[in-house]
Short mmCIF file of all heavy atoms in Angstrom, two decimals:
data_model
loop_
_atom_site.label_atom_id
_atom_site.label_comp_id
_atom_site.label_asym_id
_atom_site.label_seq_id
_atom_site.Cartn_x
_atom_site.Cartn_y
_atom_site.Cartn_z
N THR A 30 -67.14 59.97 15.85
CA THR A 30 -66.58 60.43 14.57
C THR A 30 -65.05 60.49 14.67
O THR A 30 -64.49 60.96 15.63
CB THR A 30 -67.12 61.82 14.24
OG1 THR A 30 -68.56 61.74 14.16
CG2 THR A 30 -66.54 62.33 12.95
N ALA A 53 -68.99 51.62 -18.00
CA ALA A 53 -69.72 52.10 -19.10
C ALA A 53 -68.85 52.20 -20.35
O ALA A 53 -69.34 52.56 -21.39
CB ALA A 53 -70.33 53.47 -18.78
N LEU A 69 -47.97 53.61 -10.84
CA LEU A 69 -47.80 53.46 -9.41
C LEU A 69 -48.37 52.13 -8.91
O LEU A 69 -47.90 51.57 -7.91
CB LEU A 69 -48.49 54.64 -8.65
CG LEU A 69 -48.23 54.71 -7.16
CD1 LEU A 69 -46.73 54.94 -6.90
CD2 LEU A 69 -49.00 55.88 -6.57
N LYS A 75 -64.00 54.95 -6.75
CA LYS A 75 -65.28 55.48 -6.23
C LYS A 75 -66.41 54.93 -7.04
O LYS A 75 -66.27 54.32 -8.08
CB LYS A 75 -65.30 57.02 -6.30
CG LYS A 75 -65.35 57.63 -7.70
CD LYS A 75 -65.45 59.17 -7.64
CE LYS A 75 -65.53 59.78 -9.00
NZ LYS A 75 -65.63 61.26 -8.91
N PHE A 87 -67.17 44.91 8.20
CA PHE A 87 -66.52 45.49 9.35
C PHE A 87 -67.14 44.99 10.67
O PHE A 87 -66.47 44.64 11.60
CB PHE A 87 -66.58 46.99 9.29
CG PHE A 87 -65.52 47.66 8.52
CD1 PHE A 87 -65.78 48.38 7.37
CD2 PHE A 87 -64.18 47.59 8.95
CE1 PHE A 87 -64.76 49.01 6.66
CE2 PHE A 87 -63.15 48.22 8.24
CZ PHE A 87 -63.44 48.98 7.08
N LYS A 100 -59.79 31.27 21.94
CA LYS A 100 -60.72 30.79 20.96
C LYS A 100 -60.25 31.10 19.54
O LYS A 100 -60.38 30.25 18.63
CB LYS A 100 -62.12 31.39 21.17
CG LYS A 100 -62.87 30.90 22.37
CD LYS A 100 -64.29 31.42 22.45
CE LYS A 100 -65.02 30.82 23.61
NZ LYS A 100 -66.46 31.29 23.66
N LYS A 109 -46.69 27.07 8.04
CA LYS A 109 -46.36 26.36 6.78
C LYS A 109 -46.80 27.12 5.56
O LYS A 109 -46.80 26.53 4.45
CB LYS A 109 -47.02 24.97 6.83
CG LYS A 109 -46.65 24.12 8.02
CD LYS A 109 -45.15 23.89 8.09
CE LYS A 109 -44.84 22.95 9.25
NZ LYS A 109 -43.33 22.70 9.36
N PHE A 122 -42.41 38.64 11.46
CA PHE A 122 -41.34 39.54 11.77
C PHE A 122 -41.33 40.72 10.74
O PHE A 122 -41.75 40.55 9.62
CB PHE A 122 -40.00 38.86 11.80
CG PHE A 122 -39.53 38.29 10.46
CD1 PHE A 122 -38.76 39.04 9.61
CD2 PHE A 122 -39.80 36.99 10.11
CE1 PHE A 122 -38.36 38.55 8.41
CE2 PHE A 122 -39.35 36.45 8.91
CZ PHE A 122 -38.62 37.25 8.08
N ASN A 126 -33.95 42.70 12.35
CA ASN A 126 -33.76 42.45 13.80
C ASN A 126 -34.81 41.50 14.36
O ASN A 126 -34.74 41.27 15.59
CB ASN A 126 -33.82 43.82 14.47
CG ASN A 126 -32.74 44.75 14.05
OD1 ASN A 126 -31.58 44.31 13.89
ND2 ASN A 126 -33.06 46.02 13.86
N THR A 152 -62.15 25.37 8.79
CA THR A 152 -63.32 25.87 9.56
C THR A 152 -62.99 27.23 10.08
O THR A 152 -61.81 27.65 10.14
CB THR A 152 -63.72 24.94 10.67
OG1 THR A 152 -62.59 24.78 11.58
CG2 THR A 152 -64.12 23.57 10.13
N GLY A 178 -45.86 53.51 15.49
CA GLY A 178 -44.60 53.70 16.30
C GLY A 178 -43.64 52.69 15.74
O GLY A 178 -42.51 52.94 15.62
N ILE A 204 -59.92 58.00 1.74
CA ILE A 204 -60.85 59.03 1.36
C ILE A 204 -62.26 58.46 1.59
O ILE A 204 -62.54 57.34 1.10
CB ILE A 204 -60.71 59.47 -0.10
CG1 ILE A 204 -59.35 60.17 -0.28
CG2 ILE A 204 -61.80 60.42 -0.49
CD1 ILE A 204 -59.13 60.69 -1.71
N ILE A 209 -59.36 51.60 -1.92
CA ILE A 209 -58.00 51.73 -2.43
C ILE A 209 -57.68 50.40 -3.14
O ILE A 209 -57.83 49.34 -2.57
CB ILE A 209 -56.99 51.97 -1.31
CG1 ILE A 209 -57.30 53.28 -0.61
CG2 ILE A 209 -55.58 51.96 -1.87
CD1 ILE A 209 -56.41 53.56 0.58
N GLU A 237 -54.09 62.65 16.02
CA GLU A 237 -55.28 62.39 16.78
C GLU A 237 -55.92 61.02 16.40
O GLU A 237 -56.66 60.41 17.23
CB GLU A 237 -56.29 63.50 16.62
CG GLU A 237 -55.84 64.84 17.23
CD GLU A 237 -56.89 65.89 17.11
OE1 GLU A 237 -58.05 65.56 16.69
OE2 GLU A 237 -56.62 67.07 17.39
N ARG A 243 -57.40 50.84 14.37
CA ARG A 243 -57.50 50.92 12.93
C ARG A 243 -58.04 49.58 12.41
O ARG A 243 -57.45 48.56 12.65
CB ARG A 243 -56.15 51.23 12.30
CG ARG A 243 -56.22 51.24 10.74
CD ARG A 243 -54.84 51.36 10.13
NE ARG A 243 -55.00 51.31 8.66
CZ ARG A 243 -54.95 50.17 7.96
NH1 ARG A 243 -54.81 49.01 8.55
NH2 ARG A 243 -55.12 50.23 6.64
N GLU A 257 -49.58 28.33 -13.26
CA GLU A 257 -48.17 28.67 -13.23
C GLU A 257 -47.98 30.17 -13.47
O GLU A 257 -48.54 30.72 -14.40
CB GLU A 257 -47.37 27.88 -14.27
CG GLU A 257 -45.85 28.11 -14.21
CD GLU A 257 -45.09 27.32 -15.22
OE1 GLU A 257 -45.68 26.43 -15.81
OE2 GLU A 257 -43.92 27.63 -15.44
N GLN A 263 -46.42 35.18 -25.19
CA GLN A 263 -46.95 34.58 -26.36
C GLN A 263 -48.34 35.10 -26.74
O GLN A 263 -48.80 34.89 -27.88
CB GLN A 263 -46.99 33.06 -26.23
CG GLN A 263 -45.61 32.43 -26.13
CD GLN A 263 -45.69 30.92 -26.01
OE1 GLN A 263 -46.75 30.36 -25.75
NE2 GLN A 263 -44.57 30.26 -26.26
N ALA A 271 -41.71 44.02 -23.33
CA ALA A 271 -41.29 44.35 -21.98
C ALA A 271 -40.34 43.24 -21.41
O ALA A 271 -39.35 43.54 -20.76
CB ALA A 271 -42.50 44.55 -21.09
N TYR A 280 -39.59 37.17 -14.94
CA TYR A 280 -41.01 36.99 -14.72
C TYR A 280 -41.46 35.58 -14.92
O TYR A 280 -42.60 35.27 -15.24
CB TYR A 280 -41.75 37.94 -15.65
CG TYR A 280 -41.41 39.38 -15.42
CD1 TYR A 280 -40.64 40.13 -16.34
CD2 TYR A 280 -41.81 40.02 -14.23
CE1 TYR A 280 -40.27 41.45 -16.05
CE2 TYR A 280 -41.46 41.36 -13.98
CZ TYR A 280 -40.72 42.04 -14.91
OH TYR A 280 -40.38 43.34 -14.63
N PRO A 282 -40.76 32.69 -12.30
CA PRO A 282 -40.09 32.14 -11.14
C PRO A 282 -40.19 30.59 -11.00
O PRO A 282 -39.63 30.04 -10.13
CB PRO A 282 -40.91 32.81 -9.97
CG PRO A 282 -42.26 33.12 -10.58
CD PRO A 282 -41.98 33.45 -12.01
N LYS A 287 -50.26 28.82 -5.96
CA LYS A 287 -50.31 28.29 -4.59
C LYS A 287 -48.93 28.25 -3.96
O LYS A 287 -48.75 28.61 -2.76
CB LYS A 287 -50.90 26.86 -4.64
CG LYS A 287 -51.02 26.21 -3.24
CD LYS A 287 -51.68 24.83 -3.34
CE LYS A 287 -51.83 24.20 -1.96
NZ LYS A 287 -52.51 22.89 -2.09
N GLU A 288 -47.95 27.83 -4.73
CA GLU A 288 -46.56 27.78 -4.19
C GLU A 288 -46.04 29.14 -3.84
O GLU A 288 -45.34 29.36 -2.85
CB GLU A 288 -45.66 27.08 -5.20
CG GLU A 288 -45.94 25.58 -5.37
CD GLU A 288 -45.26 24.99 -6.55
OE1 GLU A 288 -44.85 25.74 -7.49
OE2 GLU A 288 -45.04 23.71 -6.59
N TRP A 289 -46.32 30.13 -4.75
CA TRP A 289 -45.89 31.49 -4.51
C TRP A 289 -46.51 32.06 -3.19
O TRP A 289 -45.84 32.65 -2.39
CB TRP A 289 -46.26 32.41 -5.67
CG TRP A 289 -45.83 33.79 -5.52
CD1 TRP A 289 -46.58 34.87 -5.22
CD2 TRP A 289 -44.49 34.33 -5.72
NE1 TRP A 289 -45.82 36.04 -5.17
CE2 TRP A 289 -44.55 35.71 -5.48
CE3 TRP A 289 -43.29 33.74 -6.07
CZ2 TRP A 289 -43.41 36.51 -5.58
CZ3 TRP A 289 -42.17 34.53 -6.16
CH2 TRP A 289 -42.26 35.92 -5.92
N THR A 300 -41.60 32.39 13.31
CA THR A 300 -40.94 31.16 13.52
C THR A 300 -39.90 30.85 12.43
O THR A 300 -38.87 30.19 12.69
CB THR A 300 -42.01 30.05 13.50
OG1 THR A 300 -42.99 30.34 14.47
CG2 THR A 300 -41.36 28.66 13.77
N TYR A 307 -32.50 37.51 5.03
CA TYR A 307 -32.27 37.97 3.66
C TYR A 307 -31.23 37.27 2.88
O TYR A 307 -31.08 37.39 1.72
CB TYR A 307 -32.00 39.52 3.68
CG TYR A 307 -33.23 40.26 4.06
CD1 TYR A 307 -33.44 40.63 5.44
CD2 TYR A 307 -34.20 40.59 3.14
CE1 TYR A 307 -34.59 41.30 5.79
CE2 TYR A 307 -35.36 41.26 3.51
CZ TYR A 307 -35.55 41.63 4.83
OH TYR A 307 -36.68 42.31 5.20
N GLY A 314 -39.03 40.93 -9.77
CA GLY A 314 -39.67 42.20 -10.18
C GLY A 314 -38.83 43.38 -9.74
O GLY A 314 -37.66 43.51 -10.01
#
Side-chain angles (χ1 to χ4, degrees):
T30 300
L69 191 60
K75 69 177 183 179
F87 273 117
K100 287 188 177 181
K109 304 299 183 182
F122 67 88
N126 298 319
T152 59
I204 292 180
I209 300 176
E237 293 183 10
R243 177 186 178 272
E257 183 178 348
Q263 295 182 344
Y280 300 109
K287 182 178 181 179
E288 292 167 338
W289 181 258
T300 303
Y307 291 95

